[in-house]
Amino acid sequence: FATGRAQEAEQCYLKALSLNPVSADGNINLAHLLRVTSRWHEADVQYHKALKLRPSHPQLNYFHGVVLEKLDKIKAENCSISSEAWFE
Protein backbone atom coordinates (compact mmCIF):
# COMPACT_ATOMS: atom_id res chain seq x y z
CA PHE A 1 0.00 0.00 0.00
CA ALA A 2 3.03 2.25 -0.07
CA THR A 3 2.49 2.76 -3.79
CA GLY A 4 -0.87 4.48 -3.34
CA ARG A 5 -2.93 1.34 -3.77
CA ALA A 6 -4.31 1.15 -0.24
CA GLN A 7 -7.91 0.63 -1.35
CA GLU A 8 -6.91 -2.27 -3.58
CA ALA A 9 -4.80 -3.78 -0.79
CA GLU A 10 -7.69 -3.46 1.64
CA GLN A 11 -10.00 -5.31 -0.74
CA CYS A 12 -7.44 -8.10 -1.07
CA TYR A 13 -7.07 -8.41 2.72
CA LEU A 14 -10.85 -8.45 3.18
CA LYS A 15 -11.22 -11.13 0.51
CA ALA A 16 -8.49 -13.24 2.14
CA LEU A 17 -10.12 -12.83 5.55
CA SER A 18 -13.51 -13.84 4.16
CA LEU A 19 -11.88 -17.12 3.14
CA ASN A 20 -9.90 -17.54 6.37
CA PRO A 21 -11.06 -15.21 9.18
CA VAL A 22 -8.51 -16.60 11.64
CA SER A 23 -5.51 -15.81 9.46
CA ALA A 24 -3.15 -14.01 11.80
CA ASP A 25 -1.17 -12.50 8.93
CA GLY A 26 -4.31 -11.27 7.17
CA ASN A 27 -5.65 -9.64 10.33
CA ILE A 28 -2.27 -8.09 11.14
CA ASN A 29 -1.80 -6.71 7.62
CA LEU A 30 -5.29 -5.22 7.54
CA ALA A 31 -4.73 -3.64 10.96
CA HIS A 32 -1.48 -2.06 9.76
CA LEU A 33 -3.15 -0.77 6.60
CA LEU A 34 -5.94 0.85 8.59
CA ARG A 35 -3.37 2.42 10.92
CA VAL A 36 -1.21 3.92 8.18
CA THR A 37 -4.30 5.35 6.50
CA SER A 38 -5.32 7.00 9.80
CA ARG A 39 -8.52 5.01 10.18
CA TRP A 40 -8.01 4.79 13.93
CA HIS A 41 -11.32 3.28 15.07
CA GLU A 42 -11.25 0.57 12.42
CA ALA A 43 -7.59 -0.12 13.16
CA ASP A 44 -8.40 -0.50 16.86
CA VAL A 45 -11.05 -3.13 16.11
CA GLN A 46 -8.73 -4.96 13.73
CA TYR A 47 -5.80 -4.92 16.17
CA HIS A 48 -8.08 -6.50 18.79
CA LYS A 49 -8.83 -9.33 16.36
CA ALA A 50 -5.16 -9.76 15.50
CA LEU A 51 -4.11 -9.73 19.15
CA LYS A 52 -6.54 -12.53 19.94
CA LEU A 53 -4.61 -14.62 17.43
CA ARG A 54 -1.11 -13.48 18.44
CA PRO A 55 -1.28 -11.92 21.92
CA SER A 56 2.49 -11.88 22.49
CA HIS A 57 3.46 -10.27 19.18
CA PRO A 58 5.62 -7.28 20.28
CA GLN A 59 5.15 -5.05 17.21
CA LEU A 60 1.44 -5.77 17.18
CA ASN A 61 1.13 -4.61 20.78
CA TYR A 62 3.23 -1.54 20.05
CA PHE A 63 1.23 -0.46 17.00
CA HIS A 64 -2.04 -1.10 18.82
CA GLY A 65 -0.74 1.24 21.51
CA VAL A 66 -0.04 3.87 18.85
CA VAL A 67 -3.64 3.57 17.65
CA LEU A 68 -5.01 3.77 21.18
CA GLU A 69 -2.97 6.89 21.80
CA LYS A 70 -4.37 8.45 18.63
CA LEU A 71 -7.83 7.59 19.90
CA ASP A 72 -6.84 9.16 23.21
CA LYS A 73 -7.76 5.95 25.02
CA ILE A 74 -4.39 5.92 26.73
CA LYS A 75 -1.60 8.37 27.30
CA ALA A 76 1.89 7.36 26.23
CA GLU A 77 3.38 8.39 29.55
CA ASN A 78 1.09 5.90 31.33
CA CYS A 79 2.55 3.01 29.34
CA SER A 80 5.97 3.14 30.90
CA ILE A 81 6.76 0.84 33.78
CA SER A 82 9.32 1.80 36.36
CA SER A 83 12.18 -0.59 36.87
CA GLU A 84 10.98 -1.17 40.45
CA ALA A 85 7.77 -2.71 39.12
CA TRP A 86 9.73 -5.57 37.60
CA PHE A 87 10.96 -6.65 41.04
CA GLU A 88 7.78 -6.38 43.06
Side-chain angles (χ1 to χ4, degrees), residues 10 13-14 17 34 36 59 77 83 87-88:
E10 181 179 358
Y13 292 139
L14 291 171
L17 288 170
L34 295 168
V36 300
Q59 287 112 350
E77 59 271 11
S83 59
F87 301 104
E88 293 178 355

Side-chain angles (χ1 to χ4, degrees), residues 59-78:
Q59 287 112 350
L60 198 53
N61 281 287
Y62 170 78
F63 286 123
H64 187 225
V66 170
V67 168
L68 292 175
E69 184 179 13
K70 291 290 185 180
L71 291 172
D72 208 24
K73 288 187 176 181
I74 61 169
K75 298 287 183 203
E77 59 271 11
N78 292 337

Side-chain angles (χ1 to χ4, degrees), residues 1-84:
F1 41 84
T3 61
R5 297 172 61 186
Q7 189 173 24
E8 184 180 345
E10 181 179 358
Q11 292 307 310
C12 290
Y13 292 139
L14 291 171
K15 173 74 173 179
L17 288 170
S18 74
L19 299 172
N20 183 7
V22 294
S23 166
D25 290 334
N27 281 285
I28 291 167
N29 288 335
L30 181 56
H32 289 326
L33 174 106
L34 295 168
R35 175 183 49 82
V36 300
T37 56
S38 302
R39 293 165 57 188
W40 307 117
H41 291 283
E42 293 169 274
D44 180 31
V45 170
Q46 197 61 41
Y47 275 115
H48 277 287
K49 290 178 184 179
L51 283 164
K52 285 182 182 178
L53 299 168
R54 292 217 183 128
S56 300
H57 192 289
Q59 287 112 350
L60 198 53
N61 281 287
Y62 170 78
F63 286 123
H64 187 225
V66 170
V67 168
L68 292 175
E69 184 179 13
K70 291 290 185 180
L71 291 172
D72 208 24
K73 288 187 176 181
I74 61 169
K75 298 287 183 203
E77 59 271 11
N78 292 337
C79 291
S80 64
I81 299 174
S82 71
S83 59
E84 295 83 31

